[in-house]
PDB file of all heavy atoms in Angstrom:
ATOM      1  N   HIS A 485      73.084  52.536  53.195  1.00 84.00           N
ATOM      2  CA  HIS A 485      73.227  51.717  51.991  1.00 84.00           C
ATOM      3  C   HIS A 485      72.600  52.460  50.813  1.00 84.00           C
ATOM      4  O   HIS A 485      71.481  52.980  50.911  1.00 84.00           O
ATOM      5  CB  HIS A 485      72.554  50.362  52.174  1.00 84.00           C
ATOM      6  CG  HIS A 485      73.074  49.603  53.359  1.00 84.00           C
ATOM      7  ND1 HIS A 485      74.304  49.007  53.387  1.00 84.00           N
ATOM      8  CD2 HIS A 485      72.508  49.355  54.579  1.00 84.00           C
ATOM      9  CE1 HIS A 485      74.498  48.428  54.553  1.00 84.00           C
ATOM     10  NE2 HIS A 485      73.427  48.631  55.304  1.00 84.00           N
ATOM     11  N   ILE A 486      73.318  52.522  49.727  1.00 88.00           N
ATOM     12  CA  ILE A 486      72.868  53.254  48.540  1.00 88.00           C
ATOM     13  C   ILE A 486      72.635  52.258  47.404  1.00 88.00           C
ATOM     14  O   ILE A 486      73.534  51.495  47.035  1.00 88.00           O
ATOM     15  CB  ILE A 486      73.901  54.311  48.114  1.00 88.00           C
ATOM     16  CG1 ILE A 486      74.134  55.303  49.273  1.00 88.00           C
ATOM     17  CG2 ILE A 486      73.437  55.043  46.865  1.00 88.00           C
ATOM     18  CD1 ILE A 486      75.224  56.301  49.001  1.00 88.00           C
ATOM     19  N   TYR A 487      71.408  52.271  46.870  1.00 84.00           N
ATOM     20  CA  TYR A 487      71.039  51.373  45.777  1.00 84.00           C
ATOM     21  C   TYR A 487      71.019  52.139  44.462  1.00 84.00           C
ATOM     22  O   TYR A 487      70.585  53.302  44.404  1.00 84.00           O
ATOM     23  CB  TYR A 487      69.649  50.772  46.016  1.00 84.00           C
ATOM     24  CG  TYR A 487      69.555  49.882  47.222  1.00 84.00           C
ATOM     25  CD1 TYR A 487      69.150  50.390  48.454  1.00 84.00           C
ATOM     26  CD2 TYR A 487      69.853  48.532  47.121  1.00 84.00           C
ATOM     27  CE1 TYR A 487      69.060  49.565  49.566  1.00 84.00           C
ATOM     28  CE2 TYR A 487      69.759  47.699  48.230  1.00 84.00           C
ATOM     29  CZ  TYR A 487      69.368  48.225  49.446  1.00 84.00           C
ATOM     30  OH  TYR A 487      69.272  47.410  50.539  1.00 84.00           O
ATOM     31  N   GLU A 488      71.469  51.492  43.410  1.00 86.00           N
ATOM     32  CA  GLU A 488      71.315  52.050  42.065  1.00 86.00           C
ATOM     33  C   GLU A 488      70.155  51.328  41.389  1.00 86.00           C
ATOM     34  O   GLU A 488      70.168  50.096  41.258  1.00 86.00           O
ATOM     35  CB  GLU A 488      72.583  51.867  41.241  1.00 86.00           C
ATOM     36  CG  GLU A 488      72.481  52.507  39.859  1.00 86.00           C
ATOM     37  CD  GLU A 488      73.781  52.434  39.067  1.00 86.00           C
ATOM     38  OE1 GLU A 488      74.800  52.006  39.645  1.00 86.00           O
ATOM     39  OE2 GLU A 488      73.766  52.803  37.874  1.00 86.00           O
ATOM     40  N   LEU A 489      69.136  52.105  40.992  1.00 86.00           N
ATOM     41  CA  LEU A 489      67.933  51.542  40.398  1.00 86.00           C
ATOM     42  C   LEU A 489      67.842  51.885  38.916  1.00 86.00           C
ATOM     43  O   LEU A 489      68.282  52.947  38.483  1.00 86.00           O
ATOM     44  CB  LEU A 489      66.677  52.066  41.116  1.00 86.00           C
ATOM     45  CG  LEU A 489      66.605  51.845  42.635  1.00 86.00           C
ATOM     46  CD1 LEU A 489      65.305  52.440  43.175  1.00 86.00           C
ATOM     47  CD2 LEU A 489      66.693  50.368  42.970  1.00 86.00           C
ATOM     48  N   LYS A 490      67.256  50.965  38.175  1.00 86.00           N
ATOM     49  CA  LYS A 490      67.057  51.188  36.740  1.00 86.00           C
ATOM     50  C   LYS A 490      65.604  50.920  36.390  1.00 86.00           C
ATOM     51  O   LYS A 490      65.034  49.897  36.789  1.00 86.00           O
ATOM     52  CB  LYS A 490      67.966  50.262  35.928  1.00 86.00           C
ATOM     53  CG  LYS A 490      67.832  50.445  34.413  1.00 86.00           C
ATOM     54  CD  LYS A 490      68.780  49.523  33.666  1.00 86.00           C
ATOM     55  CE  LYS A 490      68.642  49.683  32.162  1.00 86.00           C
ATOM     56  NZ  LYS A 490      69.552  48.776  31.399  1.00 86.00           N
ATOM     57  N   ASN A 491      65.002  51.880  35.647  1.00 85.00           N
ATOM     58  CA  ASN A 491      63.618  51.728  35.218  1.00 85.00           C
ATOM     59  C   ASN A 491      63.574  50.825  33.989  1.00 85.00           C
ATOM     60  O   ASN A 491      64.226  51.102  32.978  1.00 85.00           O
ATOM     61  CB  ASN A 491      62.998  53.091  34.908  1.00 85.00           C
ATOM     62  CG  ASN A 491      61.496  53.003  34.713  1.00 85.00           C
ATOM     63  OD1 ASN A 491      61.008  52.420  33.757  1.00 85.00           O
ATOM     64  ND2 ASN A 491      60.764  53.621  35.637  1.00 85.00           N
ATOM     65  N   LYS A 492      62.814  49.749  34.058  1.00 82.00           N
ATOM     66  CA  LYS A 492      62.769  48.776  32.972  1.00 82.00           C
ATOM     67  C   LYS A 492      62.135  49.343  31.708  1.00 82.00           C
ATOM     68  O   LYS A 492      62.442  48.904  30.591  1.00 82.00           O
ATOM     69  CB  LYS A 492      61.977  47.540  33.409  1.00 82.00           C
ATOM     70  CG  LYS A 492      62.588  46.782  34.570  1.00 82.00           C
ATOM     71  CD  LYS A 492      61.707  45.612  34.971  1.00 82.00           C
ATOM     72  CE  LYS A 492      62.287  44.866  36.168  1.00 82.00           C
ATOM     73  NZ  LYS A 492      61.418  43.744  36.605  1.00 82.00           N
ATOM     74  N   THR A 494      61.838  52.985  30.852  1.00 85.00           N
ATOM     75  CA  THR A 494      62.506  54.173  30.298  1.00 85.00           C
ATOM     76  C   THR A 494      64.028  54.079  30.328  1.00 85.00           C
ATOM     77  O   THR A 494      64.698  54.963  29.781  1.00 85.00           O
ATOM     78  CB  THR A 494      62.071  55.415  31.092  1.00 85.00           C
ATOM     79  OG1 THR A 494      62.531  55.282  32.448  1.00 85.00           O
ATOM     80  CG2 THR A 494      60.546  55.561  31.075  1.00 85.00           C
ATOM     81  N   ASN A 495      64.556  53.054  30.962  1.00 85.00           N
ATOM     82  CA  ASN A 495      66.011  52.904  31.147  1.00 85.00           C
ATOM     83  C   ASN A 495      66.625  54.018  32.012  1.00 85.00           C
ATOM     84  O   ASN A 495      67.838  54.184  32.057  1.00 85.00           O
ATOM     85  CB  ASN A 495      66.756  52.844  29.810  1.00 85.00           C
ATOM     86  CG  ASN A 495      66.492  51.538  29.089  1.00 85.00           C
ATOM     87  OD1 ASN A 495      66.299  50.498  29.715  1.00 85.00           O
ATOM     88  ND2 ASN A 495      66.472  51.599  27.754  1.00 85.00           N
ATOM     89  N   GLU A 496      65.779  54.777  32.682  1.00 86.00           N
ATOM     90  CA  GLU A 496      66.262  55.809  33.598  1.00 86.00           C
ATOM     91  C   GLU A 496      66.947  55.147  34.792  1.00 86.00           C
ATOM     92  O   GLU A 496      66.505  54.109  35.277  1.00 86.00           O
ATOM     93  CB  GLU A 496      65.084  56.655  34.077  1.00 86.00           C
ATOM     94  CG  GLU A 496      65.468  57.701  35.130  1.00 86.00           C
ATOM     95  CD  GLU A 496      64.251  58.337  35.796  1.00 86.00           C
ATOM     96  OE1 GLU A 496      63.122  58.031  35.392  1.00 86.00           O
ATOM     97  OE2 GLU A 496      64.463  59.121  36.747  1.00 86.00           O
ATOM     98  N   THR A 497      68.033  55.740  35.265  1.00 88.00           N
ATOM     99  CA  THR A 497      68.718  55.226  36.449  1.00 88.00           C
ATOM    100  C   THR A 497      68.754  56.307  37.527  1.00 88.00           C
ATOM    101  O   THR A 497      68.796  57.501  37.219  1.00 88.00           O
ATOM    102  CB  THR A 497      70.157  54.787  36.118  1.00 88.00           C
ATOM    103  OG1 THR A 497      70.893  55.913  35.634  1.00 88.00           O
ATOM    104  CG2 THR A 497      70.168  53.666  35.089  1.00 88.00           C
ATOM    105  N   LYS A 498      68.735  55.860  38.746  1.00 84.00           N
ATOM    106  CA  LYS A 498      68.843  56.792  39.866  1.00 84.00           C
ATOM    107  C   LYS A 498      69.386  56.055  41.075  1.00 84.00           C
ATOM    108  O   LYS A 498      69.325  54.819  41.165  1.00 84.00           O
ATOM    109  CB  LYS A 498      67.495  57.424  40.194  1.00 84.00           C
ATOM    110  CG  LYS A 498      66.439  56.454  40.690  1.00 84.00           C
ATOM    111  CD  LYS A 498      65.148  57.203  41.025  1.00 84.00           C
ATOM    112  CE  LYS A 498      64.066  56.240  41.533  1.00 84.00           C
ATOM    113  NZ  LYS A 498      62.815  56.978  41.892  1.00 84.00           N
ATOM    114  N   LYS A 499      69.945  56.838  42.017  1.00 87.00           N
ATOM    115  CA  LYS A 499      70.478  56.269  43.246  1.00 87.00           C
ATOM    116  C   LYS A 499      69.624  56.725  44.424  1.00 87.00           C
ATOM    117  O   LYS A 499      69.298  57.908  44.528  1.00 87.00           O
ATOM    118  CB  LYS A 499      71.929  56.685  43.460  1.00 87.00           C
ATOM    119  CG  LYS A 499      72.891  56.076  42.444  1.00 87.00           C
ATOM    120  CD  LYS A 499      74.334  56.447  42.749  1.00 87.00           C
ATOM    121  CE  LYS A 499      75.291  55.775  41.775  1.00 87.00           C
ATOM    122  NZ  LYS A 499      76.715  56.100  42.073  1.00 87.00           N
ATOM    123  N   VAL A 500      69.304  55.783  45.293  1.00 83.00           N
ATOM    124  CA  VAL A 500      68.500  56.096  46.472  1.00 83.00           C
ATOM    125  C   VAL A 500      69.122  55.420  47.690  1.00 83.00           C
ATOM    126  O   VAL A 500      69.816  54.403  47.566  1.00 83.00           O
ATOM    127  CB  VAL A 500      67.036  55.622  46.307  1.00 83.00           C
ATOM    128  CG1 VAL A 500      66.363  56.350  45.158  1.00 83.00           C
ATOM    129  CG2 VAL A 500      66.974  54.108  46.102  1.00 83.00           C
ATOM    130  N   THR A 501      68.873  55.998  48.852  1.00 85.00           N
ATOM    131  CA  THR A 501      69.359  55.384  50.096  1.00 85.00           C
ATOM    132  C   THR A 501      68.415  54.251  50.496  1.00 85.00           C
ATOM    133  O   THR A 501      67.291  54.136  49.968  1.00 85.00           O
ATOM    134  CB  THR A 501      69.431  56.417  51.220  1.00 85.00           C
ATOM    135  OG1 THR A 501      68.105  56.868  51.530  1.00 85.00           O
ATOM    136  CG2 THR A 501      70.292  57.606  50.795  1.00 85.00           C
ATOM    137  N   ASP A 502      68.854  53.444  51.445  1.00 82.00           N
ATOM    138  CA  ASP A 502      68.019  52.337  51.908  1.00 82.00           C
ATOM    139  C   ASP A 502      66.740  52.848  52.560  1.00 82.00           C
ATOM    140  O   ASP A 502      65.685  52.210  52.457  1.00 82.00           O
ATOM    141  CB  ASP A 502      68.805  51.440  52.867  1.00 82.00           C
ATOM    142  CG  ASP A 502      69.472  52.219  53.991  1.00 82.00           C
ATOM    143  OD1 ASP A 502      69.580  53.459  53.873  1.00 82.00           O
ATOM    144  OD2 ASP A 502      69.891  51.597  54.988  1.00 82.00           O
ATOM    145  N   LYS A 503      66.831  54.032  53.215  1.00 83.00           N
ATOM    146  CA  LYS A 503      65.627  54.592  53.841  1.00 83.00           C
ATOM    147  C   LYS A 503      64.616  55.002  52.775  1.00 83.00           C
ATOM    148  O   LYS A 503      63.411  54.778  52.924  1.00 83.00           O
ATOM    149  CB  LYS A 503      65.999  55.787  54.709  1.00 83.00           C
ATOM    150  CG  LYS A 503      66.772  55.411  55.974  1.00 83.00           C
ATOM    151  CD  LYS A 503      67.047  56.629  56.830  1.00 83.00           C
ATOM    152  CE  LYS A 503      67.795  56.243  58.103  1.00 83.00           C
ATOM    153  NZ  LYS A 503      68.079  57.422  58.960  1.00 83.00           N
ATOM    154  N   GLU A 504      65.115  55.641  51.690  1.00 80.00           N
ATOM    155  CA  GLU A 504      64.211  56.028  50.599  1.00 80.00           C
ATOM    156  C   GLU A 504      63.641  54.798  49.907  1.00 80.00           C
ATOM    157  O   GLU A 504      62.465  54.762  49.531  1.00 80.00           O
ATOM    158  CB  GLU A 504      64.973  56.901  49.589  1.00 80.00           C
ATOM    159  CG  GLU A 504      65.415  58.250  50.140  1.00 80.00           C
ATOM    160  CD  GLU A 504      66.363  58.974  49.191  1.00 80.00           C
ATOM    161  OE1 GLU A 504      67.073  58.285  48.435  1.00 80.00           O
ATOM    162  OE2 GLU A 504      66.395  60.220  49.228  1.00 80.00           O
ATOM    163  N   TYR A 505      64.481  53.799  49.756  1.00 75.00           N
ATOM    164  CA  TYR A 505      64.062  52.571  49.067  1.00 75.00           C
ATOM    165  C   TYR A 505      62.926  51.885  49.816  1.00 75.00           C
ATOM    166  O   TYR A 505      61.928  51.449  49.224  1.00 75.00           O
ATOM    167  CB  TYR A 505      65.263  51.634  48.944  1.00 75.00           C
ATOM    168  CG  TYR A 505      65.002  50.370  48.170  1.00 75.00           C
ATOM    169  CD1 TYR A 505      64.842  50.389  46.788  1.00 75.00           C
ATOM    170  CD2 TYR A 505      64.913  49.136  48.834  1.00 75.00           C
ATOM    171  CE1 TYR A 505      64.602  49.215  46.082  1.00 75.00           C
ATOM    172  CE2 TYR A 505      64.685  47.963  48.140  1.00 75.00           C
ATOM    173  CZ  TYR A 505      64.526  48.012  46.749  1.00 75.00           C
ATOM    174  OH  TYR A 505      64.292  46.859  46.052  1.00 75.00           O
ATOM    175  N   MET A 506      63.065  51.825  51.162  1.00 79.00           N
ATOM    176  CA  MET A 506      62.034  51.180  51.952  1.00 79.00           C
ATOM    177  C   MET A 506      60.854  52.105  52.212  1.00 79.00           C
ATOM    178  O   MET A 506      59.699  51.680  52.169  1.00 79.00           O
ATOM    179  CB  MET A 506      62.636  50.707  53.280  1.00 79.00           C
ATOM    180  CG  MET A 506      63.754  49.690  53.146  1.00 79.00           C
ATOM    181  SD  MET A 506      63.241  48.194  52.266  1.00 79.00           S
ATOM    182  CE  MET A 506      62.062  47.512  53.442  1.00 79.00           C
ATOM    183  N   GLY A 507      61.161  53.404  52.468  1.00 78.00           N
ATOM    184  CA  GLY A 507      60.095  54.356  52.783  1.00 78.00           C
ATOM    185  C   GLY A 507      59.149  54.583  51.632  1.00 78.00           C
ATOM    186  O   GLY A 507      57.921  54.690  51.824  1.00 78.00           O
ATOM    187  N   ASP A 508      59.668  54.685  50.408  1.00 74.00           N
ATOM    188  CA  ASP A 508      58.831  54.891  49.220  1.00 74.00           C
ATOM    189  C   ASP A 508      58.331  53.577  48.639  1.00 74.00           C
ATOM    190  O   ASP A 508      57.662  53.587  47.580  1.00 74.00           O
ATOM    191  CB  ASP A 508      59.613  55.656  48.150  1.00 74.00           C
ATOM    192  CG  ASP A 508      60.010  57.053  48.608  1.00 74.00           C
ATOM    193  OD1 ASP A 508      59.372  57.553  49.556  1.00 74.00           O
ATOM    194  OD2 ASP A 508      60.958  57.623  48.045  1.00 74.00           O
ATOM    195  N   LYS A 509      58.660  52.473  49.291  1.00 75.00           N
ATOM    196  CA  LYS A 509      58.250  51.135  48.853  1.00 75.00           C
ATOM    197  C   LYS A 509      58.619  50.862  47.396  1.00 75.00           C
ATOM    198  O   LYS A 509      57.846  50.285  46.627  1.00 75.00           O
ATOM    199  CB  LYS A 509      56.745  50.961  49.055  1.00 75.00           C
ATOM    200  CG  LYS A 509      56.324  51.011  50.523  1.00 75.00           C
ATOM    201  CD  LYS A 509      54.846  50.713  50.699  1.00 75.00           C
ATOM    202  CE  LYS A 509      54.478  50.707  52.186  1.00 75.00           C
ATOM    203  NZ  LYS A 509      53.036  50.377  52.385  1.00 75.00           N
ATOM    204  N   LEU A 510      59.828  51.309  47.034  1.00 73.00           N
ATOM    205  CA  LEU A 510      60.287  51.074  45.665  1.00 73.00           C
ATOM    206  C   LEU A 510      60.472  49.590  45.369  1.00 73.00           C
ATOM    207  O   LEU A 510      60.449  49.174  44.205  1.00 73.00           O
ATOM    208  CB  LEU A 510      61.603  51.826  45.422  1.00 73.00           C
ATOM    209  CG  LEU A 510      61.510  53.359  45.443  1.00 73.00           C
ATOM    210  CD1 LEU A 510      62.894  53.985  45.314  1.00 73.00           C
ATOM    211  CD2 LEU A 510      60.603  53.844  44.323  1.00 73.00           C
ATOM    212  N   TRP A 511      60.679  48.814  46.430  1.00 69.00           N
ATOM    213  CA  TRP A 511      60.840  47.368  46.242  1.00 69.00           C
ATOM    214  C   TRP A 511      59.554  46.707  45.760  1.00 69.00           C
ATOM    215  O   TRP A 511      59.573  45.590  45.228  1.00 69.00           O
ATOM    216  CB  TRP A 511      61.299  46.721  47.555  1.00 69.00           C
ATOM    217  CG  TRP A 511      60.451  47.083  48.741  1.00 69.00           C
ATOM    218  CD1 TRP A 511      60.552  48.202  49.509  1.00 69.00           C
ATOM    219  CD2 TRP A 511      59.371  46.329  49.273  1.00 69.00           C
ATOM    220  NE1 TRP A 511      59.606  48.208  50.505  1.00 69.00           N
ATOM    221  CE2 TRP A 511      58.870  47.049  50.387  1.00 69.00           C
ATOM    222  CE3 TRP A 511      58.775  45.118  48.936  1.00 69.00           C
ATOM    223  CZ2 TRP A 511      57.800  46.597  51.145  1.00 69.00           C
ATOM    224  CZ3 TRP A 511      57.718  44.658  49.700  1.00 69.00           C
ATOM    225  CH2 TRP A 511      57.222  45.405  50.797  1.00 69.00           C
ATOM    226  N   GLU A 512      58.405  47.435  45.930  1.00 72.00           N
ATOM    227  CA  GLU A 512      57.133  46.895  45.448  1.00 72.00           C
ATOM    228  C   GLU A 512      56.857  47.280  44.000  1.00 72.00           C
ATOM    229  O   GLU A 512      55.994  46.677  43.354  1.00 72.00           O
ATOM    230  CB  GLU A 512      55.979  47.395  46.332  1.00 72.00           C
ATOM    231  CG  GLU A 512      55.994  46.850  47.748  1.00 72.00           C
ATOM    232  CD  GLU A 512      54.800  47.330  48.546  1.00 72.00           C
ATOM    233  OE1 GLU A 512      54.120  48.287  48.087  1.00 72.00           O
ATOM    234  OE2 GLU A 512      54.544  46.762  49.627  1.00 72.00           O
ATOM    235  N   ASP A 513      57.573  48.299  43.487  1.00 78.00           N
ATOM    236  CA  ASP A 513      57.350  48.782  42.123  1.00 78.00           C
ATOM    237  C   ASP A 513      58.120  47.898  41.143  1.00 78.00           C
ATOM    238  O   ASP A 513      59.343  47.906  41.103  1.00 78.00           O
ATOM    239  CB  ASP A 513      57.819  50.237  42.009  1.00 78.00           C
ATOM    240  CG  ASP A 513      57.365  50.886  40.713  1.00 78.00           C
ATOM    241  OD1 ASP A 513      57.065  50.154  39.744  1.00 78.00           O
ATOM    242  OD2 ASP A 513      57.357  52.136  40.664  1.00 78.00           O
ATOM    243  N   GLU A 514      57.415  47.153  40.336  1.00 77.00           N
ATOM    244  CA  GLU A 514      58.053  46.218  39.409  1.00 77.00           C
ATOM    245  C   GLU A 514      58.784  46.922  38.273  1.00 77.00           C
ATOM    246  O   GLU A 514      59.545  46.291  37.546  1.00 77.00           O
ATOM    247  CB  GLU A 514      57.003  45.263  38.830  1.00 77.00           C
ATOM    248  CG  GLU A 514      56.359  44.367  39.887  1.00 77.00           C
ATOM    249  CD  GLU A 514      55.361  43.398  39.287  1.00 77.00           C
ATOM    250  OE1 GLU A 514      55.121  43.510  38.047  1.00 77.00           O
ATOM    251  OE2 GLU A 514      54.829  42.557  40.025  1.00 77.00           O
ATOM    252  N   ASN A 515      58.527  48.225  38.089  1.00 81.00           N
ATOM    253  CA  ASN A 515      59.218  48.962  37.021  1.00 81.00           C
ATOM    254  C   ASN A 515      60.684  49.236  37.365  1.00 81.00           C
ATOM    255  O   ASN A 515      61.474  49.546  36.482  1.00 81.00           O
ATOM    256  CB  ASN A 515      58.501  50.294  36.751  1.00 81.00           C
ATOM    257  CG  ASN A 515      57.154  50.089  36.080  1.00 81.00           C
ATOM    258  OD1 ASN A 515      57.014  49.214  35.230  1.00 81.00           O
ATOM    259  ND2 ASN A 515      56.155  50.867  36.492  1.00 81.00           N
ATOM    260  N   TRP A 516      61.020  49.164  38.646  1.00 82.00           N
ATOM    261  CA  TRP A 516      62.392  49.464  39.070  1.00 82.00           C
ATOM    262  C   TRP A 516      63.096  48.189  39.512  1.00 82.00           C
ATOM    263  O   TRP A 516      62.519  47.367  40.215  1.00 82.00           O
ATOM    264  CB  TRP A 516      62.399  50.474  40.224  1.00 82.00           C
ATOM    265  CG  TRP A 516      61.931  51.848  39.832  1.00 82.00           C
ATOM    266  CD1 TRP A 516      60.680  52.355  39.984  1.00 82.00           C
ATOM    267  CD2 TRP A 516      62.703  52.851  39.200  1.00 82.00           C
ATOM    268  NE1 TRP A 516      60.609  53.634  39.494  1.00 82.00           N
ATOM    269  CE2 TRP A 516      61.862  53.966  39.005  1.00 82.00           C
ATOM    270  CE3 TRP A 516      64.029  52.941  38.776  1.00 82.00           C
ATOM    271  CZ2 TRP A 516      62.282  55.151  38.404  1.00 82.00           C
ATOM    272  CZ3 TRP A 516      64.464  54.116  38.180  1.00 82.00           C
ATOM    273  CH2 TRP A 516      63.599  55.204  37.992  1.00 82.00           C
ATOM    274  N   GLU A 517      64.330  48.061  39.098  1.00 84.00           N
ATOM    275  CA  GLU A 517      65.143  46.926  39.526  1.00 84.00           C
ATOM    276  C   GLU A 517      66.492  47.425  40.045  1.00 84.00           C
ATOM    277  O   GLU A 517      67.009  48.442  39.585  1.00 84.00           O
ATOM    278  CB  GLU A 517      65.359  45.947  38.375  1.00 84.00           C
ATOM    279  CG  GLU A 517      66.133  46.520  37.194  1.00 84.00           C
ATOM    280  CD  GLU A 517      66.377  45.469  36.112  1.00 84.00           C
ATOM    281  OE1 GLU A 517      66.070  44.304  36.342  1.00 84.00           O
ATOM    282  OE2 GLU A 517      66.888  45.850  35.029  1.00 84.00           O
ATOM    283  N   VAL A 518      67.035  46.705  40.990  1.00 84.00           N
ATOM    284  CA  VAL A 518      68.323  47.057  41.568  1.00 84.00           C
ATOM    285  C   VAL A 518      69.441  46.593  40.642  1.00 84.00           C
ATOM    286  O   VAL A 518      69.452  45.445  40.185  1.00 84.00           O
ATOM    287  CB  VAL A 518      68.500  46.426  42.964  1.00 84.00           C
ATOM    288  CG1 VAL A 518      69.880  46.754  43.531  1.00 84.00           C
ATOM    289  CG2 VAL A 518      67.403  46.890  43.909  1.00 84.00           C
ATOM    290  N   VAL A 519      70.385  47.504  40.380  1.00 84.00           N
ATOM    291  CA  VAL A 519      71.514  47.193  39.504  1.00 84.00           C
ATOM    292  C   VAL A 519      72.768  47.030  40.362  1.00 84.00           C
ATOM    293  O   VAL A 519      73.160  47.951  41.084  1.00 84.00           O
ATOM    294  CB  VAL A 519      71.733  48.299  38.450  1.00 84.00           C
ATOM    295  CG1 VAL A 519      72.929  47.949  37.553  1.00 84.00           C
ATOM    296  CG2 VAL A 519      70.471  48.488  37.622  1.00 84.00           C
ATOM    297  N   GLY A 520      73.403  45.872  40.277  1.00 81.00           N
ATOM    298  CA  GLY A 520      74.640  45.651  41.014  1.00 81.00           C
ATOM    299  C   GLY A 520      74.421  45.547  42.511  1.00 81.00           C
ATOM    300  O   GLY A 520      73.285  45.436  42.999  1.00 81.00           O
ATOM    301  N   ASP A 521      75.507  45.600  43.241  1.00 80.00           N
ATOM    302  CA  ASP A 521      75.466  45.513  44.703  1.00 80.00           C
ATOM    303  C   ASP A 521      75.357  46.908  45.305  1.00 80.00           C
ATOM    304  O   ASP A 521      75.917  47.870  44.771  1.00 80.00           O
ATOM    305  CB  ASP A 521      76.727  44.829  45.238  1.00 80.00           C
ATOM    306  CG  ASP A 521      76.832  43.388  44.769  1.00 80.00           C
ATOM    307  OD1 ASP A 521      75.782  42.735  44.651  1.00 80.00           O
ATOM    308  OD2 ASP A 521      77.972  42.934  44.515  1.00 80.00           O
ATOM    309  N   PRO A 522      74.631  47.034  46.414  1.00 81.00           N
ATOM    310  CA  PRO A 522      74.510  48.354  47.059  1.00 81.00           C
ATOM    311  C   PRO A 522      75.851  48.815  47.632  1.00 81.00           C
ATOM    312  O   PRO A 522      76.681  48.006  48.030  1.00 81.00           O
ATOM    313  CB  PRO A 522      73.481  48.116  48.163  1.00 81.00           C
ATOM    314  CG  PRO A 522      73.545  46.648  48.440  1.00 81.00           C
ATOM    315  CD  PRO A 522      73.885  45.988  47.146  1.00 81.00           C
ATOM    316  N   GLN A 523      76.047  50.119  47.670  1.00 83.00           N
ATOM    317  CA  GLN A 523      77.238  50.704  48.271  1.00 83.00           C
ATOM    318  C   GLN A 523      76.936  51.025  49.744  1.00 83.00           C
ATOM    319  O   GLN A 523      75.830  51.454  50.064  1.00 83.00           O
ATOM    320  CB  GLN A 523      77.647  51.985  47.538  1.00 83.00           C
ATOM    321  CG  GLN A 523      78.065  51.759  46.094  1.00 83.00           C
ATOM    322  CD  GLN A 523      78.408  53.061  45.386  1.00 83.00           C
ATOM    323  OE1 GLN A 523      78.031  54.142  45.837  1.00 83.00           O
ATOM    324  NE2 GLN A 523      79.114  52.958  44.277  1.00 83.00           N
TER     325      GLN A 523
END
Side-chain angles (χ1 to χ4, degrees):
H485 303 287
I486 301 175
Y487 296 93
E488 183 175 353
L489 304 179
K490 181 179 179 181
N491 191 292
K492 297 178 182 178
T494 64
N495 289 328
E496 175 192 356
T497 61
K498 65 178 180 179
K499 292 184 177 181
V500 297
T501 65
D502 51 344
K503 290 183 179 180
E504 294 170 332
Y505 184 72
M506 299 302 293
D508 297 340
K509 296 185 177 182
L510 294 175
W511 51 277
E512 292 183 346
D513 192 338
E514 296 182 355
N515 290 322
W516 292 97
E517 63 177 353
V518 178
V519 180
D521 296 325
Q523 296 178 342

